[in-house]
Amino acid sequence: AFSLNVQAQTQPQTQASLSEELAAIQGALDGTQTFLTEVRNRHFLKITHEQMGNAIQELAQHLKDQGDEAEAELLLNQWRKASLEKALAEKDIGDHAPLFPWLEDFITKMADRYGTIVYTLPYVQDLRTLNFAIPVVFTPNGTWHMAGQDNRIEYRKHFIPFANIITYYASYYGCVYVVQKNGLSQLKKLCSKAADQLKFYMGRYMAPPLADWIYTGVTSSESLAAESLPFTSNQLRGEIQ
């Protein structure tokens, strides 16, 4: 079993502090479970939009911290008008182009202004990955297929980083919600630790078979039952001790 070793304190814990930490960790687990449930039901567009929006918020906050309120608001306004569903319906992804060209252009513009260090910001890396991965992830049988290659492997290459990122933001903000709701701001660092470990668990153990399950279910003539999914949200709690 995978050990979620994310205790926030080193000193002896009271029963109350332990309960608070467990509540925060449960919030992170709930975020991951929601993603898994939506994948299982093949309806994960909504949570993808939500978590990509959280990464957008992180970048916007960074710009505000730099005193660039105008660009932060421009980014947020463009995102408010964005629709993953509409973009996917209109996109010809044979060339693996970004889902939202305006987002890639915006990040390039910020790199020109502040330097290439912009590309190293975690949320910028996440946004760029999602921008290029989402079109493939949501079209397992799309025009991106290449003749003479195992396109299942190519699908994995896009799905695994996509799932890692969605898992991180879903679990992190699920934990933060619990922390803020209960006035436990001192536990916010615990949220990033829990999210990091859930992201690792997703990429190492869950995302590869999930990718194959989705890809095969769409491209194969066989009809795969939901019960054949290698991991379910209910199993997650049992696997993480």
Side-chain angles (χ1 to χ4, degrees), residues 178-195:
V178 172
V179 165
Q180 293 177 340
K181 180 181 178 181
N182 294 283
L184 305 173
S185 58
Q186 73 277 11
L187 295 181
K188 194 170 181 179
K189 288 184 178 179
L190 180 64
C191 295
S192 60
K193 292 180 180 180

Side-chain angles (χ1 to χ4, degrees), residues 158-180:
H158 289 80
F159 183 86
I160 293 172
F162 158 82
N164 289 349
I165 293 168
I166 299 302
T167 295
Y168 177 85
Y169 285 96
S171 56
Y172 176 76
Y173 279 94
C175 179
V176 167
Y177 173 79
V178 172
V179 165
Q180 293 177 340

Side-chain angles (χ1 to χ4, degrees), residues 31 34-39 41-54 79 82-86 88 130 134 137-138 162 166 169-170:
T34 298
F35 175 51
L36 284 171
T37 299
E38 294 200 13
V39 168
N41 294 330
R42 299 185 178 91
H43 297 300
F44 49 101
L45 188 66
K46 180 175 180 289
I47 195 170
T48 298
H49 188 275
E50 290 171 351
Q51 304 317 319
M52 192 172 184
N54 282 329
W79 178 248
S83 167
L84 264 67
E85 187 171 12
K86 182 178 179 182
L88 285 168
L130 290 175
I134 286 174
V137 168
F138 282 88
F162 158 82
I166 299 302
Y169 285 96

